[in-house]
Short mmCIF file of all heavy atoms in Angstrom, two decimals:
data_model
loop_
_atom_site.label_atom_id
_atom_site.label_comp_id
_atom_site.label_asym_id
_atom_site.label_seq_id
_atom_site.Cartn_x
_atom_site.Cartn_y
_atom_site.Cartn_z
N MET A 1 -31.56 -51.37 3.33
CA MET A 1 -30.68 -50.47 2.65
C MET A 1 -29.68 -49.89 3.76
O MET A 1 -30.06 -49.64 4.94
CB MET A 1 -31.49 -49.21 2.15
CG MET A 1 -30.80 -48.46 1.01
SD MET A 1 -31.97 -47.40 0.17
CE MET A 1 -31.98 -46.00 1.26
N SER A 2 -28.34 -49.94 3.44
CA SER A 2 -27.44 -49.59 4.30
C SER A 2 -27.41 -48.03 4.46
O SER A 2 -27.66 -47.34 3.57
CB SER A 2 -26.07 -50.05 3.92
OG SER A 2 -25.64 -49.43 2.62
N PRO A 3 -27.01 -47.56 5.64
CA PRO A 3 -27.09 -46.06 5.88
C PRO A 3 -26.06 -45.38 5.08
O PRO A 3 -24.93 -45.90 4.86
CB PRO A 3 -26.89 -45.88 7.46
CG PRO A 3 -26.30 -47.28 7.85
CD PRO A 3 -26.73 -48.35 6.84
N VAL A 4 -26.45 -44.25 4.60
CA VAL A 4 -25.47 -43.36 3.75
C VAL A 4 -24.50 -42.61 4.80
O VAL A 4 -25.05 -42.07 5.70
CB VAL A 4 -26.25 -42.33 2.97
CG1 VAL A 4 -25.34 -41.31 2.26
CG2 VAL A 4 -27.22 -43.05 1.96
N LYS A 5 -23.35 -42.81 4.49
CA LYS A 5 -22.25 -41.99 5.21
C LYS A 5 -21.69 -40.84 4.45
O LYS A 5 -21.38 -41.03 3.33
CB LYS A 5 -21.05 -42.92 5.64
CG LYS A 5 -21.53 -44.14 6.43
CD LYS A 5 -21.31 -43.86 7.96
CE LYS A 5 -21.61 -45.05 8.84
NZ LYS A 5 -22.64 -44.91 9.67
N ILE A 6 -21.58 -39.76 5.15
CA ILE A 6 -21.06 -38.58 4.49
C ILE A 6 -19.69 -38.25 4.95
O ILE A 6 -19.31 -38.28 5.99
CB ILE A 6 -21.97 -37.35 4.98
CG1 ILE A 6 -23.47 -37.55 4.70
CG2 ILE A 6 -21.46 -36.02 4.31
CD1 ILE A 6 -24.38 -36.68 5.49
N THR A 7 -18.91 -37.91 3.83
CA THR A 7 -17.49 -37.41 4.21
C THR A 7 -17.31 -36.22 3.29
O THR A 7 -17.87 -36.09 2.29
CB THR A 7 -16.41 -38.38 3.83
OG1 THR A 7 -16.56 -38.86 2.47
CG2 THR A 7 -16.48 -39.59 4.71
N VAL A 8 -16.60 -35.24 3.88
CA VAL A 8 -16.34 -34.05 3.07
C VAL A 8 -14.81 -33.77 3.18
O VAL A 8 -14.15 -34.08 4.12
CB VAL A 8 -17.02 -32.80 3.67
CG1 VAL A 8 -18.58 -32.98 3.54
CG2 VAL A 8 -16.72 -32.45 5.09
N ASP A 9 -14.32 -33.22 2.10
CA ASP A 9 -13.00 -32.70 2.01
C ASP A 9 -12.91 -31.26 2.27
O ASP A 9 -13.12 -30.37 1.42
CB ASP A 9 -12.38 -32.99 0.59
CG ASP A 9 -11.02 -32.57 0.44
OD1 ASP A 9 -10.40 -32.07 1.39
OD2 ASP A 9 -10.43 -32.89 -0.67
N THR A 10 -12.66 -30.98 3.56
CA THR A 10 -12.65 -29.46 3.95
C THR A 10 -11.62 -28.68 3.26
O THR A 10 -11.72 -27.51 3.19
CB THR A 10 -12.56 -29.35 5.44
OG1 THR A 10 -11.40 -30.02 5.90
CG2 THR A 10 -13.79 -29.93 6.19
N ASP A 11 -10.52 -29.30 2.79
CA ASP A 11 -9.40 -28.62 2.06
C ASP A 11 -9.99 -28.04 0.61
O ASP A 11 -9.59 -27.13 0.19
CB ASP A 11 -8.26 -29.44 1.91
CG ASP A 11 -7.52 -29.63 3.28
OD1 ASP A 11 -7.67 -29.00 4.14
OD2 ASP A 11 -6.78 -30.66 3.33
N SER A 12 -10.84 -28.95 0.11
CA SER A 12 -11.41 -28.55 -1.30
C SER A 12 -12.53 -27.59 -1.21
O SER A 12 -12.83 -26.78 -2.13
CB SER A 12 -11.97 -29.80 -2.02
OG SER A 12 -10.93 -30.75 -2.14
N CYS A 13 -13.34 -27.56 -0.05
CA CYS A 13 -14.55 -26.73 0.08
C CYS A 13 -14.24 -25.21 -0.18
O CYS A 13 -13.18 -24.74 0.24
CB CYS A 13 -15.08 -26.84 1.53
SG CYS A 13 -16.50 -25.73 1.89
N VAL A 14 -15.08 -24.68 -1.10
CA VAL A 14 -14.79 -23.30 -1.40
C VAL A 14 -15.86 -22.37 -0.72
O VAL A 14 -16.16 -21.16 -1.16
CB VAL A 14 -14.88 -23.05 -3.00
CG1 VAL A 14 -13.64 -23.78 -3.64
CG2 VAL A 14 -16.23 -23.62 -3.65
N SER A 15 -16.51 -22.83 0.27
CA SER A 15 -17.48 -22.16 1.14
C SER A 15 -18.61 -21.47 0.34
O SER A 15 -19.05 -20.45 0.75
CB SER A 15 -16.70 -20.93 1.81
OG SER A 15 -15.45 -21.51 2.43
N SER A 16 -19.19 -22.24 -0.68
CA SER A 16 -20.28 -21.70 -1.45
C SER A 16 -21.60 -21.73 -0.60
O SER A 16 -22.47 -20.96 -0.85
CB SER A 16 -20.40 -22.49 -2.71
OG SER A 16 -20.95 -23.80 -2.39
N GLY A 17 -21.70 -22.75 0.27
CA GLY A 17 -22.85 -22.74 1.13
C GLY A 17 -24.08 -23.45 0.44
O GLY A 17 -25.12 -23.52 1.06
N GLN A 18 -23.90 -23.99 -0.74
CA GLN A 18 -24.89 -24.64 -1.45
C GLN A 18 -25.48 -25.84 -0.58
O GLN A 18 -26.64 -26.04 -0.50
CB GLN A 18 -24.38 -25.16 -2.67
CG GLN A 18 -25.26 -25.08 -3.82
CD GLN A 18 -24.46 -24.84 -5.11
OE1 GLN A 18 -23.56 -23.99 -5.13
NE2 GLN A 18 -24.71 -25.50 -6.13
N CYS A 19 -24.51 -26.57 0.03
CA CYS A 19 -25.03 -27.80 0.89
C CYS A 19 -25.76 -27.34 1.99
O CYS A 19 -26.76 -28.11 2.26
CB CYS A 19 -23.73 -28.50 1.22
SG CYS A 19 -22.59 -27.62 2.22
N VAL A 20 -25.48 -26.23 2.56
CA VAL A 20 -26.29 -25.77 3.74
C VAL A 20 -27.70 -25.25 3.31
O VAL A 20 -28.67 -25.59 4.02
CB VAL A 20 -25.57 -24.65 4.37
CG1 VAL A 20 -26.22 -24.12 5.66
CG2 VAL A 20 -24.19 -25.05 4.79
N LEU A 21 -27.82 -24.70 2.22
CA LEU A 21 -29.14 -24.24 1.68
C LEU A 21 -29.95 -25.51 1.37
O LEU A 21 -31.17 -25.45 1.58
CB LEU A 21 -28.98 -23.43 0.36
CG LEU A 21 -28.45 -22.00 0.62
CD1 LEU A 21 -28.16 -21.41 -0.81
CD2 LEU A 21 -29.34 -21.14 1.40
N LEU A 22 -29.33 -26.50 0.79
CA LEU A 22 -30.13 -27.84 0.44
C LEU A 22 -30.41 -28.55 1.58
O LEU A 22 -31.50 -29.20 1.81
CB LEU A 22 -29.21 -28.70 -0.52
CG LEU A 22 -29.20 -28.06 -1.87
CD1 LEU A 22 -28.07 -28.79 -2.72
CD2 LEU A 22 -30.47 -28.38 -2.62
N ALA A 23 -29.52 -28.79 2.57
CA ALA A 23 -29.73 -29.74 3.69
C ALA A 23 -29.17 -29.06 4.95
O ALA A 23 -28.15 -29.51 5.47
CB ALA A 23 -29.04 -31.00 3.37
N PRO A 24 -29.95 -28.13 5.45
CA PRO A 24 -29.50 -27.35 6.71
C PRO A 24 -29.44 -28.14 7.87
O PRO A 24 -28.72 -27.78 8.96
CB PRO A 24 -30.42 -26.20 6.84
CG PRO A 24 -31.69 -26.66 6.07
CD PRO A 24 -31.30 -27.68 5.01
N GLY A 25 -30.08 -29.33 7.93
CA GLY A 25 -30.01 -30.26 9.07
C GLY A 25 -28.73 -31.09 9.16
O GLY A 25 -28.42 -31.58 10.27
N THR A 26 -28.13 -31.13 8.05
CA THR A 26 -26.98 -31.97 7.91
C THR A 26 -25.61 -31.24 7.81
O THR A 26 -24.55 -31.71 8.17
CB THR A 26 -27.09 -32.91 6.61
OG1 THR A 26 -28.39 -33.61 6.68
CG2 THR A 26 -25.96 -33.92 6.49
N PHE A 27 -25.70 -30.08 7.18
CA PHE A 27 -24.47 -29.31 6.85
C PHE A 27 -24.55 -27.93 7.50
O PHE A 27 -25.63 -27.38 7.64
CB PHE A 27 -24.27 -29.07 5.39
CG PHE A 27 -24.01 -30.28 4.62
CD1 PHE A 27 -25.10 -30.76 3.71
CD2 PHE A 27 -22.87 -31.05 4.67
CE1 PHE A 27 -24.92 -31.97 2.97
CE2 PHE A 27 -22.67 -32.23 3.90
CZ PHE A 27 -23.75 -32.62 3.06
N ASP A 28 -23.44 -27.46 7.98
CA ASP A 28 -23.39 -25.99 8.41
C ASP A 28 -22.02 -25.47 7.99
O ASP A 28 -21.29 -26.11 7.33
CB ASP A 28 -23.41 -26.05 10.08
CG ASP A 28 -23.85 -24.66 10.55
OD1 ASP A 28 -24.08 -23.71 9.75
OD2 ASP A 28 -23.94 -24.50 11.77
N GLN A 29 -21.81 -24.13 8.09
CA GLN A 29 -20.59 -23.65 7.64
C GLN A 29 -19.91 -22.97 8.96
O GLN A 29 -20.52 -22.37 9.85
CB GLN A 29 -20.90 -22.54 6.69
CG GLN A 29 -21.18 -23.02 5.37
CD GLN A 29 -21.50 -21.87 4.36
OE1 GLN A 29 -22.67 -21.37 4.38
NE2 GLN A 29 -20.62 -21.45 3.57
N ASP A 30 -18.62 -23.06 8.92
CA ASP A 30 -17.86 -22.38 10.05
C ASP A 30 -18.12 -20.94 9.99
O ASP A 30 -18.06 -20.34 8.88
CB ASP A 30 -16.35 -22.60 9.85
CG ASP A 30 -15.48 -22.15 10.90
OD1 ASP A 30 -15.29 -22.70 11.94
OD2 ASP A 30 -15.08 -20.87 10.64
N GLU A 31 -18.32 -20.31 11.12
CA GLU A 31 -18.80 -18.88 11.08
C GLU A 31 -17.67 -17.96 10.53
O GLU A 31 -18.05 -16.91 9.92
CB GLU A 31 -19.22 -18.40 12.52
CG GLU A 31 -20.53 -18.74 12.98
CD GLU A 31 -20.91 -18.37 14.33
OE1 GLU A 31 -20.31 -17.32 14.77
OE2 GLU A 31 -21.74 -18.93 14.89
N GLU A 32 -16.40 -18.31 10.79
CA GLU A 32 -15.31 -17.36 10.30
C GLU A 32 -14.90 -17.78 8.92
O GLU A 32 -14.91 -16.95 7.98
CB GLU A 32 -14.18 -17.57 11.23
CG GLU A 32 -14.42 -16.64 12.45
CD GLU A 32 -13.35 -16.71 13.51
OE1 GLU A 32 -12.19 -17.18 13.15
OE2 GLU A 32 -13.67 -16.41 14.64
N SER A 33 -14.59 -19.05 8.67
CA SER A 33 -14.01 -19.35 7.30
C SER A 33 -15.09 -19.75 6.27
O SER A 33 -14.81 -19.72 5.03
CB SER A 33 -13.20 -20.63 7.55
OG SER A 33 -13.88 -21.75 7.88
N GLY A 34 -16.27 -20.11 6.69
CA GLY A 34 -17.28 -20.59 5.71
C GLY A 34 -17.17 -21.92 5.27
O GLY A 34 -17.95 -22.39 4.51
N THR A 35 -16.09 -22.59 5.76
CA THR A 35 -15.91 -24.07 5.37
C THR A 35 -17.02 -24.91 5.98
O THR A 35 -17.55 -24.78 7.00
CB THR A 35 -14.53 -24.56 5.99
OG1 THR A 35 -13.60 -23.63 5.42
CG2 THR A 35 -14.22 -25.88 5.60
N VAL A 36 -17.37 -25.92 5.15
CA VAL A 36 -18.53 -26.90 5.53
C VAL A 36 -18.01 -27.52 6.90
O VAL A 36 -17.01 -27.96 7.17
CB VAL A 36 -18.63 -27.87 4.35
CG1 VAL A 36 -17.53 -28.75 4.11
CG2 VAL A 36 -19.89 -28.64 4.65
N VAL A 37 -19.24 -27.64 7.66
CA VAL A 37 -19.16 -28.46 8.89
C VAL A 37 -20.24 -29.51 8.72
O VAL A 37 -21.50 -29.18 8.39
CB VAL A 37 -19.43 -27.59 10.19
CG1 VAL A 37 -19.46 -28.42 11.37
CG2 VAL A 37 -18.37 -26.49 10.19
N VAL A 38 -19.92 -30.76 8.91
CA VAL A 38 -20.95 -31.82 8.79
C VAL A 38 -21.50 -32.04 10.19
O VAL A 38 -20.78 -32.33 11.13
CB VAL A 38 -20.22 -33.13 8.32
CG1 VAL A 38 -21.25 -34.28 8.21
CG2 VAL A 38 -19.66 -32.88 6.96
N LEU A 39 -22.75 -31.91 10.32
CA LEU A 39 -23.46 -31.91 11.63
C LEU A 39 -23.67 -33.45 12.07
O LEU A 39 -23.79 -33.65 13.28
CB LEU A 39 -24.84 -31.24 11.59
CG LEU A 39 -24.62 -29.63 11.26
CD1 LEU A 39 -26.08 -29.04 11.16
CD2 LEU A 39 -23.75 -28.97 12.48
N SER A 40 -23.88 -34.27 11.07
CA SER A 40 -24.09 -35.73 11.47
C SER A 40 -23.34 -36.58 10.30
O SER A 40 -23.41 -36.11 9.15
CB SER A 40 -25.52 -36.01 11.61
OG SER A 40 -26.30 -36.04 10.34
N GLU A 41 -22.91 -37.72 10.73
CA GLU A 41 -22.19 -38.54 9.79
C GLU A 41 -23.24 -39.07 8.66
O GLU A 41 -22.75 -39.49 7.60
CB GLU A 41 -21.69 -39.69 10.60
CG GLU A 41 -20.52 -40.44 9.91
CD GLU A 41 -20.04 -41.55 10.74
OE1 GLU A 41 -20.77 -42.36 11.35
OE2 GLU A 41 -18.75 -41.73 10.84
N GLU A 42 -24.52 -39.11 9.08
CA GLU A 42 -25.57 -39.58 8.12
C GLU A 42 -26.52 -38.43 7.80
O GLU A 42 -26.58 -37.52 8.58
CB GLU A 42 -26.33 -40.76 8.71
CG GLU A 42 -25.40 -42.03 8.96
CD GLU A 42 -26.15 -43.06 9.76
OE1 GLU A 42 -27.44 -42.91 9.98
OE2 GLU A 42 -25.49 -43.98 10.28
N PRO A 43 -27.27 -38.51 6.78
CA PRO A 43 -28.14 -37.31 6.35
C PRO A 43 -29.18 -37.22 7.57
O PRO A 43 -29.63 -38.26 8.15
CB PRO A 43 -28.89 -37.79 5.11
CG PRO A 43 -27.84 -38.71 4.51
CD PRO A 43 -27.20 -39.47 5.62
N ALA A 44 -29.54 -35.98 7.89
CA ALA A 44 -30.58 -35.73 8.93
C ALA A 44 -31.86 -36.32 8.41
O ALA A 44 -32.05 -36.62 7.16
CB ALA A 44 -30.58 -34.32 9.17
N ASP A 45 -32.86 -36.57 9.32
CA ASP A 45 -34.10 -37.12 8.90
C ASP A 45 -34.75 -36.29 7.74
O ASP A 45 -34.91 -35.07 7.77
CB ASP A 45 -35.14 -37.01 10.07
CG ASP A 45 -34.84 -38.11 11.07
OD1 ASP A 45 -34.05 -39.04 10.79
OD2 ASP A 45 -35.47 -38.13 12.15
N GLY A 46 -35.13 -37.04 6.74
CA GLY A 46 -35.78 -36.47 5.54
C GLY A 46 -34.96 -35.72 4.62
O GLY A 46 -35.32 -35.08 3.68
N GLU A 47 -33.62 -35.85 4.87
CA GLU A 47 -32.66 -34.95 4.00
C GLU A 47 -31.76 -35.76 3.04
O GLU A 47 -30.82 -35.24 2.43
CB GLU A 47 -31.69 -34.07 4.85
CG GLU A 47 -32.46 -32.88 5.53
CD GLU A 47 -31.64 -31.86 6.13
OE1 GLU A 47 -30.40 -32.04 6.22
OE2 GLU A 47 -32.13 -30.78 6.48
N GLU A 48 -32.08 -37.06 3.01
CA GLU A 48 -31.15 -37.96 2.14
C GLU A 48 -31.09 -37.46 0.69
O GLU A 48 -30.10 -37.36 0.10
CB GLU A 48 -31.54 -39.44 2.23
CG GLU A 48 -30.63 -40.33 1.56
CD GLU A 48 -30.75 -41.76 1.84
OE1 GLU A 48 -31.16 -42.16 2.96
OE2 GLU A 48 -30.37 -42.48 0.98
N GLU A 49 -32.27 -37.22 0.06
CA GLU A 49 -32.33 -36.68 -1.28
C GLU A 49 -31.61 -35.39 -1.51
O GLU A 49 -30.90 -35.22 -2.35
CB GLU A 49 -33.78 -36.62 -1.72
CG GLU A 49 -33.91 -36.41 -3.12
CD GLU A 49 -33.20 -37.34 -4.12
OE1 GLU A 49 -33.12 -38.67 -3.80
OE2 GLU A 49 -32.53 -36.94 -5.04
N ALA A 50 -31.78 -34.51 -0.49
CA ALA A 50 -31.10 -33.17 -0.47
C ALA A 50 -29.61 -33.35 -0.35
O ALA A 50 -28.85 -32.62 -0.93
CB ALA A 50 -31.66 -32.29 0.59
N VAL A 51 -29.13 -34.29 0.41
CA VAL A 51 -27.70 -34.57 0.57
C VAL A 51 -27.09 -35.10 -0.75
O VAL A 51 -26.05 -34.73 -1.08
CB VAL A 51 -27.51 -35.50 1.85
CG1 VAL A 51 -26.08 -36.03 1.86
CG2 VAL A 51 -27.76 -34.81 3.16
N ARG A 52 -27.98 -35.96 -1.38
CA ARG A 52 -27.46 -36.52 -2.72
C ARG A 52 -27.28 -35.31 -3.67
O ARG A 52 -26.40 -35.26 -4.52
CB ARG A 52 -28.49 -37.43 -3.33
CG ARG A 52 -28.44 -38.90 -2.54
CD ARG A 52 -29.17 -39.99 -3.08
NE ARG A 52 -29.39 -41.04 -2.29
CZ ARG A 52 -28.31 -41.99 -1.97
NH1 ARG A 52 -27.15 -41.85 -2.66
NH2 ARG A 52 -28.52 -42.94 -1.20
N GLN A 53 -28.31 -34.35 -3.63
CA GLN A 53 -28.21 -33.26 -4.56
C GLN A 53 -27.10 -32.42 -4.16
O GLN A 53 -26.34 -31.87 -5.10
CB GLN A 53 -29.49 -32.34 -4.25
CG GLN A 53 -30.70 -32.81 -5.08
CD GLN A 53 -30.53 -32.99 -6.54
OE1 GLN A 53 -29.96 -31.97 -7.18
NE2 GLN A 53 -30.82 -34.12 -7.08
N ALA A 54 -26.86 -32.23 -2.97
CA ALA A 54 -25.54 -31.43 -2.46
C ALA A 54 -24.29 -32.15 -3.08
O ALA A 54 -23.37 -31.41 -3.50
CB ALA A 54 -25.50 -31.33 -0.92
N GLU A 55 -24.25 -33.40 -2.94
CA GLU A 55 -23.03 -34.17 -3.57
C GLU A 55 -22.90 -33.79 -5.02
O GLU A 55 -21.76 -33.62 -5.49
CB GLU A 55 -23.18 -35.60 -3.28
CG GLU A 55 -21.98 -36.39 -3.90
CD GLU A 55 -22.15 -37.89 -3.92
OE1 GLU A 55 -23.36 -38.37 -4.14
OE2 GLU A 55 -21.17 -38.67 -3.83
N LEU A 56 -24.08 -33.86 -5.72
CA LEU A 56 -23.90 -33.65 -7.18
C LEU A 56 -23.65 -32.13 -7.52
O LEU A 56 -23.05 -31.92 -8.53
CB LEU A 56 -25.37 -34.00 -7.79
CG LEU A 56 -25.64 -35.49 -7.76
CD1 LEU A 56 -27.10 -35.79 -8.31
CD2 LEU A 56 -24.67 -36.26 -8.65
N THR A 57 -24.07 -31.21 -6.80
CA THR A 57 -24.07 -29.73 -7.12
C THR A 57 -22.93 -29.06 -6.41
O THR A 57 -22.58 -27.94 -6.76
CB THR A 57 -25.38 -29.10 -6.90
OG1 THR A 57 -25.70 -29.19 -5.47
CG2 THR A 57 -26.54 -29.63 -7.74
N CYS A 58 -22.20 -29.68 -5.40
CA CYS A 58 -21.18 -28.92 -4.75
C CYS A 58 -20.04 -28.48 -5.83
O CYS A 58 -19.57 -29.38 -6.53
CB CYS A 58 -20.38 -29.94 -3.77
SG CYS A 58 -18.92 -29.11 -3.06
N PRO A 59 -19.81 -27.22 -5.90
CA PRO A 59 -18.88 -26.74 -6.93
C PRO A 59 -17.44 -27.19 -6.74
O PRO A 59 -16.67 -27.29 -7.78
CB PRO A 59 -18.96 -25.30 -6.78
CG PRO A 59 -19.44 -25.03 -5.49
CD PRO A 59 -20.34 -26.14 -5.08
N ALA A 60 -17.14 -27.71 -5.61
CA ALA A 60 -15.78 -28.26 -5.39
C ALA A 60 -15.64 -29.65 -5.29
O ALA A 60 -14.60 -30.33 -5.09
CB ALA A 60 -15.25 -27.66 -4.03
N ALA A 61 -16.91 -30.40 -5.56
CA ALA A 61 -16.88 -31.86 -5.48
C ALA A 61 -16.22 -32.30 -4.09
O ALA A 61 -15.53 -33.35 -4.02
CB ALA A 61 -16.23 -32.54 -6.68
N ALA A 62 -16.62 -31.71 -3.09
CA ALA A 62 -16.01 -31.90 -1.79
C ALA A 62 -16.81 -32.92 -0.95
O ALA A 62 -16.32 -33.34 0.12
CB ALA A 62 -15.83 -30.61 -1.06
N ILE A 63 -18.17 -33.19 -1.46
CA ILE A 63 -18.97 -34.05 -0.64
C ILE A 63 -18.94 -35.53 -1.23
O ILE A 63 -19.15 -35.64 -2.47
CB ILE A 63 -20.45 -33.44 -0.50
CG1 ILE A 63 -20.32 -32.15 0.02
CG2 ILE A 63 -21.27 -34.35 0.19
CD1 ILE A 63 -21.70 -31.28 -0.12
N ARG A 64 -18.72 -36.47 -0.40
CA ARG A 64 -18.82 -37.88 -0.91
C ARG A 64 -19.76 -38.64 -0.10
O ARG A 64 -19.68 -38.65 1.13
CB ARG A 64 -17.40 -38.52 -0.76
CG ARG A 64 -16.31 -38.06 -1.82
CD ARG A 64 -16.43 -38.84 -3.07
NE ARG A 64 -15.50 -38.28 -4.03
CZ ARG A 64 -15.87 -37.46 -4.93
NH1 ARG A 64 -17.07 -36.98 -4.96
NH2 ARG A 64 -14.96 -37.02 -5.87
N LEU A 65 -20.65 -39.39 -0.68
CA LEU A 65 -21.44 -40.34 -0.05
C LEU A 65 -21.06 -41.71 -0.27
O LEU A 65 -20.73 -42.15 -1.39
CB LEU A 65 -22.86 -40.14 -0.50
CG LEU A 65 -23.47 -38.67 -0.36
CD1 LEU A 65 -24.97 -38.75 -0.77
CD2 LEU A 65 -23.42 -38.21 1.01
N THR A 66 -21.11 -42.52 0.78
CA THR A 66 -20.78 -43.99 0.59
C THR A 66 -21.98 -44.81 1.25
O THR A 66 -22.58 -44.26 2.18
CB THR A 66 -19.49 -44.34 1.33
OG1 THR A 66 -19.56 -43.91 2.64
CG2 THR A 66 -18.30 -43.73 0.58
N GLY A 67 -22.10 -45.99 0.69
CA GLY A 67 -23.16 -46.84 1.27
C GLY A 67 -24.46 -46.64 0.56
O GLY A 67 -24.63 -45.88 -0.29
S1 SF4 B 1 -21.38 -27.01 -1.41
FE1 SF4 B 1 -19.33 -27.83 -1.40
S2 SF4 B 1 -18.04 -26.02 -1.57
FE2 SF4 B 1 -20.07 -25.35 -0.87
S3 SF4 B 1 -19.96 -25.19 1.33
FE3 SF4 B 1 -20.79 -27.18 0.81
S4 SF4 B 1 -18.95 -28.54 0.71
FE4 SF4 B 1 -18.27 -26.41 0.64
#
């Protein structure tokens, strides 16, 4: 299985924090703006399913997974 790569559209992000709640090892939020920060290009250990959930539930559809 090829590794999943994460890309986010920070311009679309509405700072809801949902992705951080689901996968805190993979996503963080900028302390001032609340915009998503991707901590690693691939899901953190054990967070692949949570990252898929984040892609599906992000209210701004700002998260894209490839691979
Ligand atoms: S769930 Fe989507 S809108 Fe919310 S912080 Fe994460 S990327 Fe931004």
Side-chain angles (χ1 to χ4, degrees):
M1 206 162 84
S2 59
V4 172
K5 298 264 188 242
I6 305 164
T7 55
V8 296
D9 179 357
T10 51
D11 290 336
S12 299
C13 173
V14 294
S15 309
S16 69
Q18 222 149 313
C19 55
V20 181
L21 288 173
L22 284 163
T26 306
F27 300 106
D28 199 357
Q29 283 176 278
D30 182 86
E31 275 182 30
E32 284 177 17
S33 66
T35 301
V36 65
V37 175
V38 181
L39 299 176
S40 68
E41 202 180 44
E42 297 171 10
D45 281 352
E47 289 194 347
E48 184 166 333
E49 190 51 41
V51 169
R52 290 188 190 282
Q53 280 302 312
E55 180 193 31
L56 292 174
T57 58
C58 170
I63 300 168
R64 284 274 175 270
L65 301 184
T66 55

